[in-house]
Amino acid sequence: MIDDPSVPDRVDALEIRAAHHERNLDELNEVILAQWKEIDRMTRLVRRLEERLSEAEARSGRPNAPEPPPPHY
């Protein structure tokens, strides 16, 4: 079986496939890391916007009050 000429070729093919898979995993990990950074940035932004909204509602004295309809109704 070791004398079979196809064995080294098959091993080479498997090593090439493993290298491609490893590179793909590295690329996917980079994408996931970038997405987590973006999610974290957007989460912080939403928190800041919620705080600003709460402050604006507190200043107006009307938390969660519905807006009156426009004058043409």
Side-chain angles (χ1 to χ4, degrees):
M1 181 174 207
I2 295 178
D3 295 334
D4 185 358
S6 67
V7 171
D9 293 337
R10 291 174 54 201
V11 170
D12 288 343
L14 288 173
E15 288 176 343
I16 291 170
R17 288 180 69 189
H20 284 293
H21 288 304
E22 186 174 343
R23 187 185 62 204
N24 285 340
L25 283 174
D26 290 341
E27 290 173 1
L28 288 172
N29 282 332
E30 289 176 17
V31 169
I32 290 170
L33 179 62
Q35 288 176 339
W36 273 111
K37 287 180 180 179
E38 181 67 11
I39 289 169
D40 188 44
R41 185 189 70 79
M42 291 176 9
T43 301
R44 287 192 311 270
L45 178 62
V46 167
R47 284 187 188 133
R48 284 196 330 244
L49 290 172
E50 287 174 336
E51 289 171 4
R52 288 177 63 187
L53 179 62
S54 294
E55 291 170 4
E57 288 175 343
R59 280 193 304 263
S60 72
R62 303 178 339 179
N64 298 324
E67 290 189 27
H72 63 276
Y73 277 107

